[in-house]
């Protein structure tokens, strides 16, 4: 296959879009429900932790240049154990794509088209994402580069327009949560979306410049945007009301009125979320396909990507029976589950990589 390349700027945008893809709409309600008017602090705490963890991923990448995380597993741990670790990561990428697909289906069926079977939304998006994956990471990166300015412009307009409903009294009393409570409540946010962003390290071999700064700045930007939307949500809707809403940003836009005659702008925010979901789905989907291709040393992505449409759609349907179960699983288990892929396995691979390097240097030094 022809070697693909993406710039540091494109990798930065992919990192931002992947981290925010679904969290931007799903996370504010759950964060506010746990910490009330101090909820905007939670993404900052989680983001700071994520940047530290990202340094671990970069150390692993530096120890194994030009390799994806699946290739690193094979190189560091050998084919039997490394192959098992690679399969575990591939499963995680597929499961992440299924989660994203299910989030799309839940939103469309709950808010917009309740009478349409959820599988219809899944298949429609997955077919388009499958085509993007077959075209390659450069196509996904250029699509992200083209669509991101539109997304940010729409969000900026919404932020400015929502200031008419702003009330500082909704933040009172501020800074009531203890430090330990902030740490505890930030755990689910660390798990999703931050530790989930380890998936993006599958794209590291394609980035030729500014890998480190692109990843760290991407996570920092996602942190500020996520904290910002929580802050705006509290200021516009209040902590009490926001904590009971599944998609508070949608409610803000639904009730928004501009110049007394422009209203019902929820279609714009739906387009924004569909773009973000599409980009995140494409990245997770691509990483799963590329992981399988690298593990089994296949040349073409096409015949890997097409069957995954049905697999991802099937897993997405079977994940949870309803949104309430999904929220409960997220609150209880997402941090511990994501730690395995974002912290434990990268740390294990880093140690194995260092041992391999020391062993190799020892052999070279010996007569």
């Amino acid at each position: 296959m022809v070697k693909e390349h993406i710039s540091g700027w494109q990798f930065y945008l992919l990192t931002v879009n992947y981290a925010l893809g679904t969290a931007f709409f799903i996370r504010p309600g759950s964060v506010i429900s746990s910490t009330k008017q101090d909820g905007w602090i939670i993404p900052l705490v989680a983001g700071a932790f994520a940047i530290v963890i990202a340094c671990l991923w970069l150390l692993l990448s530096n120890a194994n240049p030009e390799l994806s995380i699946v290739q690193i597993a094979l190189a560091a741990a050998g084919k039997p154990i490394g192959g098992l670790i690679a399969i575990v990561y591939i499963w995680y990428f597929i499961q992440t794509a299924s989660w994203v697909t299910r989030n799309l289906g839940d939103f469309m069926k709950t808010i917009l088209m309740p009478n349409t079977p959820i599988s219809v939304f899944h298949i429609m998006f997955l077919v388009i994402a499958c085509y993007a994956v077959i075209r390659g990471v450069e196509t996904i990166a250029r699509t992200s580069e083209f669509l991101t300015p539109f997304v940010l412009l729409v969000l900026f307009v919404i932020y400015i327009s929502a200031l008419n409903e702003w009330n500082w009294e909704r933040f009172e009393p501020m800074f009531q949560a203890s430090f330990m409570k902030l740490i505890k409540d930030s755990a689910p946010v660390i798990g999703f979306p931050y530790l989930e962003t380890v998936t993006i390290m599958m794209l590291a071999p394609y980035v030729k410049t500014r890998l480190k700064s692109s990843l760290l700045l991407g996570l920092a930007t996602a942190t500020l945007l996520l904290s910002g939307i929580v802050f705006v949500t509290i200021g516009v809707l209040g902590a009490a009301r926001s904590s009971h809403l599944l998609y508070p940003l949608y409610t803000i836009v639904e009730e928004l009125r501009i110049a007394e005659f422009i209203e019902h702008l929820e279609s714009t925010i739906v387009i924004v979320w569909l773009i973000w979901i599409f980009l995140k789905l494409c990245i997770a989907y691509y990483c799963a396909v590329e992981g399988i291709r690298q593990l089994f040393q296949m040349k073409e992505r096409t015949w890997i990507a097409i069957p995954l449409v049905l697999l991802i759609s099937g897993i997405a349907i079977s994940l949870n029976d309803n949104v309430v179960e999904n929220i409960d699983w997220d609150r209880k288990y997402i941090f511990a589950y994501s730690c395995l892929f974002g912290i434990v396995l990268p740390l294990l691979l880093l140690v194995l990589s260092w041992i391999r390097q020391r062993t190799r240097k020892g052999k070279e030094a010996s007569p």
Side-chain angles (χ1 to χ4, degrees), residues 43-53 194 223:
L44 299 178
V45 176
F49 183 85
I51 290 173
V52 174
I53 296 302
Y194 291 112
T223 297

Side-chain angles (χ1 to χ4, degrees), residues 264-278:
H264 296 294
L265 300 175
E266 55 269 24
S267 60
T268 57
I269 205 64
V270 170
I271 293 172
V272 167
W273 199 23
L274 292 181
I275 290 173
W276 254 338
I277 285 180
F278 173 72

Side-chain angles (χ1 to χ4, degrees), residues 88-122:
V88 169
Y89 266 114
I90 291 168
W91 162 251
Y92 184 59
F93 303 153
I94 293 174
Q95 189 178 42
T96 301
S98 302
W99 271 329
V100 175
T101 305
R102 181 56 185 263
N103 289 333
L104 164 72
D106 286 339
F107 175 76
M108 297 295 288
K109 190 170 179 63
T110 303
I111 302 297
L112 299 178
M113 303 178 185
N115 295 324
T116 304
I118 195 171
S119 57
V120 173
F121 305 119
H122 294 174

Side-chain angles (χ1 to χ4, degrees), residues 3 24 26 42 54 79 81 87 116-117 132 142-143 153 164 192 214 250 256 270 276 291 297 302 310 313 357:
K3 184 68 174 179
F24 197 81
I26 295 175
I42 295 295
K79 286 189 177 180
I81 299 176
I87 290 173
T116 304
R142 286 194 295 268
T143 303
L153 176 62
N164 292 329
F192 164 69
S214 298
Y250 181 84
L256 191 63
V270 170
W276 254 338
Q297 298 181 351
T302 304
L310 298 178
S313 178
Q357 290 175 356

